[in-house]
Amino acid sequence: MKLYKIKEILNASVLCGEEQLDIEVDSAFSCDLMSDVLSYVKSEALLLTGLVNPQAVRTADMLDMKCIVFVRGKLPDSVIIKMARERGITVMCCGLTMYCASGYLFSSGLRGT
Amino acid sequence: MEDTIKLTYEISGSDLLQAGEASGLLKLRLKQLGIPQEVIRRVSICMYEGEINMVIHANGGTADVEIGADDIFIWLKDTGPGIPDIVKAMAEGFSTAGKKARDLGFGAGMGLPNMKRCSDEMTVTSTVGHGTTVFMRVHIGKSADVASGRLLHASPATPGYDI
Ligand SMILES: Nc1ncnc2c1ncn2[C@@H]1O[C@H](COP(=O)(O)OP(=O)(O)OP(=O)(O)O)[C@@H](O)[C@H]1O
Ligand SMILES: [Mg+2]
């Protein structure tokens, strides 16, 4: 699924990485615990998380994940955005809960890892 | 690559913004060296989980990395509290992590088992009250071997704290 479609479905705002909204993710993983992300994500998936902290960006970077969606309306600070931009990671945020955001994406065809 | 490349990273136990920085720098270096992506991925997971462990459980430490022709070796050394029961610590879900870890998004008890899974060899040595050393080796050719369906040479079990 292309990132711009994810943005549309979640009614999300893009905080950085607008230029790569036409890239695809093949799956998604929703989690607030980064070591679970590091254990389960197998491919270039989308990360949905409520953990608004630099480790979300570092974790995504370690796994070559190209996009993070922060849920529950949490806004990352400028340090996090800068880190993501430097690493070529698109950051979006949406007001939905993790369950709802995941559910909308799943029912639109984006499966889990 | 003819020569072994040796890198050292100091890992702060107090600067939480920097936690994971060494892993990011190593990843960049491996990319520049043209190491296969799947190898970089496994090394990155090993290094990052280990780096975070040093930050959240041991107040920082030192990471020594050697990139050879066939393998990447990582030694993570700290002078933290040590691990009383390494077998228990290696079990999925076992964690003594406190607030510092939780705030960073860690503390699921998944780090050590994942490091074990992503490396070709891992040894944890620890003395309570003195510190912990984690050694990991990731074979550079392994991913290619798996992809081409060749049988892999299993590393023999070593007694002691080899896990
Ligand atoms: N460098 C270390 N010094 C002291 N204790 C450690 C160290 N590394 C791991 N441990 C101990 O081993 C336990 C398990 O480690 P592991 O990395 O598997 O999980 P965790 O760090 O608690 O959580 P996670 O890695 O999922 O975020 C830790 O909770 C801690 O008690
Ligand atoms: Mg850990």
Side-chain angles (χ1 to χ4, degrees), chain B residues 42-60:
Chain B
R42 293 196 291 128
V43 171
S44 297
I45 291 172
C46 289
M47 175 78 177
Y48 183 50
E49 286 285 10
E51 180 179 358
I52 295 292
N53 274 356
M54 289 201 287
V55 174
I56 62 180
H57 303 300
N59 209 34

Side-chain angles (χ1 to χ4, degrees), chain A residues 7-64:
Chain A
K7 168 185 162 29
E8 247 172 59
I9 291 167
L10 300 179
N11 193 20
S13 32
V14 180
L15 304 177
C16 72
E18 299 86 354
E19 66 284 353
Q20 57 173 5
L21 288 182
D22 60 334
I23 65 166
E24 294 255 358
V25 287
D26 60 5
S27 57
F29 191 79
S30 303
C31 196
D32 288 351
L33 274 169
M34 294 302 110
S35 41
D36 276 341
V37 180
L38 289 156
S39 298
Y40 288 104
V41 171
K42 298 283 180 275
S43 57
E44 291 177 13
L46 170 77
L47 175 61
L48 291 116
T49 186
L51 180 85
V52 183
N53 133 347
Q55 300 311 322
V57 176
R58 294 194 190 277
T59 299
D61 182 37
M62 290 301 124
L63 299 173
D64 293 315

Side-chain angles (χ1 to χ4, degrees), chain B residues 80-104:
Chain B
I83 306 174
D85 185 338
I86 294 175
V87 174
K88 207 163 147 187
M90 286 298 303
E92 271 190 11
F94 177 85
S95 176
T96 61
K99 191 182 181 312
K100 186 181 180 186
R102 299 272 150 66
D103 287 350
L104 279 177

Side-chain angles (χ1 to χ4, degrees), chain B residues 20-36:
Chain B
E21 184 69 13
S23 305
L25 293 173
L26 176 63
K27 185 181 184 233
L28 275 179
R29 191 64 189 267
L30 296 176
K31 228 173 168 172
Q32 287 164 358
L33 290 168
I35 303 287

Side-chain angles (χ1 to χ4, degrees), chain A residues 6 16 27 35 41-42 46 53 60 67 81-82 87 91-92 98 105 110 113:
Chain A
I6 289 166
C16 72
S27 57
S35 41
V41 171
K42 298 283 180 275
L46 170 77
N53 133 347
C67 180
I81 304 287
K82 181 169 177 281
R87 289 161 177 78
V91 173
M92 301 187 203
M98 185 95 101
L105 292 178
L110 185 64
T113 59

Side-chain angles (χ1 to χ4, degrees), chain B residues 69-151:
Chain B
D70 298 324
D71 296 279
I72 296 168
F73 304 93
I74 303 171
W75 290 266
L76 304 170
K77 293 178 209 150
D78 68 62
T79 51
I83 306 174
D85 185 338
I86 294 175
V87 174
K88 207 163 147 187
M90 286 298 303
E92 271 190 11
F94 177 85
S95 176
T96 61
K99 191 182 181 312
K100 186 181 180 186
R102 299 272 150 66
D103 287 350
L104 279 177
F106 284 83
M110 296 297 284
L112 288 173
N114 201 17
M115 289 153 72
K116 166 86 180 134
R117 212 165 26 241
C118 290
S119 58
D120 292 287
E121 188 184 347
M122 174 165 150
T123 312
V124 181
T125 34
S126 190
T127 311
V128 173
H130 289 273
T132 301
T133 298
V134 178
F135 164 75
M136 289 172 284
R137 178 179 63 82
V138 175
H139 188 51
I140 295 174
K142 182 172 175 171
S143 311
D145 288 354
V146 169
S148 66
R150 269 199 280 150
L151 272 182

